[in-house]
Amino acid sequence: MTIPYRTVPQIDAEITALANDFPTTCRRFTFSGRQTHEGRTVAYLKIGTAEGENRPRVLITTGMHGRELAPPDAMLNYLRKLLTAYRDDRPISIPAFTDPVGPVTYPSTELSIGDTRRIIDKLDVFVVPLVNPDGRNHDITLHPLENADGTFNPAIGAGGWRMNRRPAPAGSDPANQLCTGVDLNRNFDIAWNVEQYYTNPTHNVDLSTAPCQADNYRGPSAGSEPETQNLMELAETQAIQFSIDIHSAAGAIFYPWGIEDTQSDDQFKTFDNPLWNHDPANPDEHPGRDGAGNPGYAEFFPDSAPMRLRTQHRIIADFMRDAVLAAAGSNEQARTASRYETSHSAANFGGEEPENFPGSMMDWIFARQIRGGAGVPDPIFSLGMEITRPPESHEPNTSLMRPDPVTEYPKAEREIVIAAHAYLKYIAAWWPPRTSSSTCPCFIATAAFGSPYHPHVTFLRHLRDNIFPATPFGLQFIRTLNRFYYSFSPPVAAYLNDHETARRLTRIGFLRPLVVLLRLAQKLAMRFRQREAQVGVLVCAVTAILLAVVFAAGGFIALVVKLLMSQ
């Protein structure tokens, strides 16, 4: 049996091999001058073809928790696929995979060379494949990858090693393994001081304030760990604008905040506003924040025009989710096993009650733009991902942190490859966003839905750019329609960008019904074999919809005039 999981030296060797094999598009760096507690130097890669101030800077991290074996290997394999596809000028091919438990087949798919070119040519992608080498090494030392007979060891029920290897504090019980280590994803300086941030720092707060108690110990101080400092240094020195941190195994793609619920109305409700801190001596005036799922407080998440930061995070997460689901094909079992939840982090993992996750890298990177300061990019987008759990049919013979090499790992890898590629594809195609009508022919649907990659927007664009121009008649029709459309759309789009109520009414009252009607018309058109007939049906549908809009608008105006005259 081939086991896909690399040891720490093998991961470092593959990082070096990637830089050697692709010298024009991949460079290897180390966090020099800083070693882990066990004396290791962490390496990372920079993917891209050129330097430049205007290239979006993206950070991808895996291996934050030692026991989560799949993400680092899957990420390294993705980078080799990406760099090979760019060098050879061909698509990335993802083979079909059949899960023998079921069985369930996930079809083969391809990621286009055009997207790969844009990613490599437009972005600077920094990848830290193994954030926590000490933790991974300890995990596979405690629970070797192979049994004595050479078979894979899933280490079922063992739990695995999550933290780094910070030495146990003096005087602690040497028999208590939890005295060693810090949870790196609770060590960042964002609501790290839970006693000050929360009213009740022990209620639904996924963080331990003292060593020797649990494997989510926050550390002796915020940013105390060398691995944490590595990522903070990289984010700050490279002015990271986009980040994603990939984990196992909740089946979710998420975004800030993890420390609290979110809202976009009250900008004074922020983690750095001391007026909201908990003061035990004066609890009436300074009660602290009541945590996710409670009504008293929610963390501010900007969502104003033109960037609409909160909306855009949701759209990016949904875009990644939809890419993974589309690659699952039409088999319902495959689709069910490939569905990711998307939401802000505190809403995603709490089960019956939302849970708070202070001290995470995702929230810390996002918070940099709110703290501000010299050299801090604005805006910053920060997401997280946890690969899906194995299907229930695999239980109990499975491990969440060590997917089986034959029945589970191939699915985990394909989902990381597809989701990471979708994330980079989105950034490369979208950034810098064109939000002003003076810079491009504005698309009203883009303004209303907040992104050119919203599914309804991409559907309308597909009709405009691919379906109608397929015949001479359709091409003439769409050219005429475009001339009419662009005669008024720029000021309409500009108005929508600045008026949330108008955007919502446009979505609900016009665009969503329009898409429903056009999809029905497209289904009807597909009954005809000739392309001319198909386009003809769609032309008739668009014409009928436009006439209905004109008559409805005329009727509305007549009603308003009549009401005014009656007064």
Side-chain angles (χ1 to χ4, degrees):
M1 176 187 295
T2 301
I3 296 178
Y5 305 119
R6 299 172 174 92
T7 63
V8 172
Q10 288 170 338
I11 285 178
D12 198 56
E14 177 63 5
I15 292 173
T16 301
L18 286 169
N20 291 338
D21 294 345
F22 306 95
T24 61
T25 52
C26 180
R27 297 173 62 192
R28 180 184 186 273
F29 298 88
T30 60
F31 294 101
S32 58
R34 185 184 299 116
Q35 292 185 323
T36 66
H37 291 291
E38 293 185 346
R40 294 181 173 87
T41 300
V42 177
Y44 65 95
L45 294 167
K46 179 182 178 183
I47 310 295
T49 55
E51 303 290 338
E53 293 297 321
N54 295 322
R55 293 169 63 85
R57 294 176 176 244
V58 186
L59 173 61
I60 301 176
T61 52
T62 56
M64 181 86 71
H65 294 138
R67 66 192 179 192
E68 297 172 11
L69 300 189
D73 292 282
M75 181 52 57
L76 287 169
N77 295 342
Y78 167 60
L79 294 179
R80 185 163 287 279
K81 291 175 186 287
L82 179 75
L83 293 164
T84 301
Y86 182 85
R87 181 194 63 194
D88 298 346
D89 198 33
R90 59 177 174 81
I92 295 174
S93 296
I94 299 176
F97 161 61
T98 298
D99 177 357
V101 182
V104 180
T105 296
Y106 301 83
S108 62
T109 189
E110 286 191 344
L111 308 178
S112 79
I113 180 57
D115 293 330
T116 297
R117 285 197 207 101
R118 277 188 289 273
I119 289 169
I120 301 292
D121 289 339
K122 290 187 62 177
L123 306 181
D124 285 337
V125 183
F126 297 86
V127 184
V128 187
L130 185 55
V131 171
N132 181 11
D134 292 359
R136 185 183 181 97
N137 182 73
H138 188 67
D139 183 75
I140 61 180
T141 300
L142 281 175
H143 313 291
L145 295 173
E146 291 184 346
N147 296 311
D149 60 0
T151 58
F152 174 65
N153 174 22
I156 296 171
W161 189 261
R162 174 183 173 96
M163 299 182 284
N164 73 350
R165 295 295 294 165
R166 181 182 185 85
S172 59
D173 181 2
N176 185 350
Q177 292 192 17
L178 291 175
C179 292
T180 299
V182 166
D183 183 346
L184 299 177
N185 215 29
R186 300 295 180 269
N187 187 237
F188 288 84
D189 187 14
I190 176 68
W192 180 90
N193 189 347
V194 294
E195 299 90 341
Q196 183 182 78
Y197 185 85
Y198 296 106
T199 304
N200 184 350
T202 62
H203 179 68
N204 290 344
V205 176
D206 189 73
L207 175 148
S208 175
T209 59
C212 306
Q213 296 179 353
D215 63 2
N216 60 353
Y217 171 48
R218 67 183 176 181
S221 61
S224 61
E225 301 312 292
E227 300 91 344
T228 309
Q229 294 165 19
N230 286 341
L231 300 181
M232 293 168 63
E233 174 189 288
L234 185 57
E236 290 167 349
T237 59
Q238 298 300 331
I240 295 297
Q241 298 167 271
F242 298 86
S243 76
I244 184 165
D245 184 28
I246 302 177
H247 291 259
S248 303
I253 300 169
F254 46 94
Y255 43 89
W257 294 99
I259 55 176
E260 253 284 6
D261 286 328
T262 67
Q263 51 84 23
S264 300
D265 299 319
D266 189 345
Q267 62 183 325
F268 295 103
K269 290 183 176 180
T270 65
F271 61 90
D272 62 347
N273 184 348
L275 295 177
W276 278 100
N277 288 347
H278 176 54
D279 182 0
N282 194 3
D284 292 334
E285 291 189 17
H286 299 285
R289 301 159 181 88
D290 54 2
N294 295 300
Y297 180 91
E299 196 71 25
F300 179 64
F301 197 138
D303 201 35
S304 58
M307 189 51 60
R308 305 200 177 279
L309 200 57
R310 184 181 180 186
T311 298
Q312 198 60 240
H313 273 78
R314 175 182 55 77
I315 290 171
I316 295 172
D318 289 351
F319 185 73
M320 296 168 62
R321 173 203 64 194
D322 293 345
V324 173
L325 188 60
S330 58
N331 181 285
E332 191 53 41
Q333 283 181 284
R335 292 177 66 81
T336 298
S338 302
R339 284 192 172 91
Y340 279 74
E341 297 293 327
T342 61
S343 74
H344 75 91
S345 178
N348 230 323
F349 304 106
E352 294 182 2
E353 288 188 76
E355 198 156 8
N356 307 280
F357 300 94
S360 74
M361 186 194 89
M362 179 191 71
D363 277 0
W364 177 81
I365 286 183
F366 182 77
R368 293 189 67 228
Q369 65 196 310
I370 294 175
R371 286 190 169 110
V376 176
D378 186 7
I380 294 174
F381 298 82
S382 185
L383 288 87
M385 175 183 177
E386 293 209 6
I387 57 174
T388 53
R389 295 170 178 263
E392 291 183 3
S393 58
H394 289 220
E395 297 177 358
N397 301 310
T398 189
S399 168
L400 295 180
M401 302 305 162
R402 290 190 180 191
D404 183 89
V406 174
T407 64
E408 296 166 353
Y409 176 79
K411 176 177 179 292
E413 179 175 307
R414 67 183 273 133
E415 290 179 359
I416 288 176
V417 168
I418 292 165
H421 197 75
Y423 184 58
L424 297 175
K425 168 186 173 180
Y426 189 99
I427 298 167
W430 173 62
W431 195 263
R434 290 183 279 181
T435 57
S436 168
S437 61
S438 63
T439 60
C440 67
C442 285
F443 197 41
I444 290 175
T446 299
F449 287 107
S451 168
Y453 281 101
H454 189 282
H456 290 347
V457 180
T458 57
F459 170 71
L460 293 172
R461 189 183 298 109
H462 176 66
L463 290 181
R464 183 194 67 187
D465 296 342
N466 302 109
I467 300 300
F468 282 110
T471 69
F473 173 64
L475 179 61
Q476 184 59 44
F477 174 80
I478 202 65
R479 283 175 174 172
T480 303
L481 184 62
N482 279 342
R483 283 195 295 270
F484 168 70
Y485 174 72
Y486 287 118
S487 68
F488 65 85
S489 67
V492 173
Y495 181 84
L496 293 177
N497 273 329
D498 294 329
H499 296 83
E500 176 58 35
T501 301
R503 293 175 69 240
R504 186 164 56 249
L505 291 174
T506 302
R507 290 195 302 269
I508 297 172
F510 177 64
L511 289 173
R512 285 175 180 159
L514 171 66
V515 169
V516 169
L517 292 172
L518 288 177
R519 288 190 186 277
L520 291 174
Q522 188 180 38
K523 286 185 178 180
L524 176 62
M526 291 302 105
R527 296 182 179 181
F528 297 91
R529 293 186 178 181
Q530 294 80 15
R531 181 59 61 86
E532 290 79 6
Q534 294 173 355
V535 172
V537 170
L538 290 171
V539 168
C540 291
V542 171
T543 304
I545 292 169
L546 290 175
L547 289 173
V549 170
V550 170
F551 282 121
F556 177 75
I557 292 171
L559 177 62
V560 170
V561 171
K562 184 177 180 180
L563 289 173
L564 291 174
M565 292 181 65
S566 66
Q567 295 178 357

